[in-house]
Amino acid sequence: MLLNSIAVTLVMTPFAIGLLNAAEEQVRDADAAEAVEAGAGGSNDTCRRNVKDVQNLSSGVLLGIAFSATCGGIATLTGAIPHYFLAGESIVATHVTWSKWFVFALPLSLVSVVFAFSALCLRYIRSLKFKGISRDAVEAEYNELLAEVGPFSRDELLVALVQITQIVLLIIRPFAISPFIQTKFHDNLVNDATLAC
């Protein structure tokens, strides 16, 4: 994860909650329409079972966001807050660079993703009978979020450009920046912690 895992989680969670609420609303509406067609009896248990399925899916999706933030945050120095402090320590700063950390931690992150995905599938997806969210519900949720937030702005573009610049600098720093910005005693003045903040 090239971005901070906390920030990504804060961005993803409201969108996921909105979609899951739309899914639950869709299930309730479909069950109500089915009850009206069939007469007044018997579909209350089906409705509860379908809503319970959506709530199980909701738990799985929210845990998936949390697990993915953790697994992705492991992979880079910028992915988790404690990594910033590690990179800033003078004892470690010269030995641990963004690219070295990435090579070390990417396999750990990938193994964590596999375990997290397996656990979520076994616990929440395996017994799921929920058929999915209709395209109309997704479009309605998207339009509602777009009306709330507004279109892509100049400030968002600026943030994206700053983030891309930061990522490029983190990758090229050990061989293109640090050798040229040093003290007269050959100590680096720029490290990954400097670029990450």
Side-chain angles (χ1 to χ4, degrees), residues 85-187:
F85 295 114
L86 173 71
E89 289 295 318
S90 59
I91 296 172
V92 190
T94 57
H95 302 291
V96 177
T97 64
W98 191 89
S99 51
K100 285 181 182 177
W101 182 269
F102 186 71
V103 169
F104 162 74
L106 183 64
L108 296 173
S109 179
L110 292 175
V111 168
S112 299
V113 166
V114 169
F115 281 130
F117 181 76
S118 300
L120 289 172
C121 283
L122 289 174
R123 171 64 176 93
Y124 294 101
I125 306 300
R126 183 176 46 150
S127 62
L128 189 67
K129 293 176 180 52
F130 176 61
K131 295 187 178 39
I133 304 171
S134 72
R135 181 174 176 84
D136 295 335
V138 173
E139 284 180 3
E141 184 63 28
Y142 172 76
N143 290 333
E144 181 181 322
L145 286 172
L146 188 60
E148 237 177 75
V149 176
F152 193 73
S153 70
R154 176 186 57 88
D155 294 338
E156 291 168 332
L157 177 64
L158 182 63
V159 168
L161 291 175
V162 167
Q163 189 65 51
I164 290 169
T165 303
Q166 179 188 26
I167 292 166
V168 169
L169 290 174
L170 285 168
I171 292 170
I172 67 169
R173 186 208 51 90
F175 55 87
I177 297 173
S178 289
F180 303 109
I181 303 175
Q182 296 180 343
T183 66
K184 62 182 177 180
F185 301 109
H186 301 291
D187 291 331

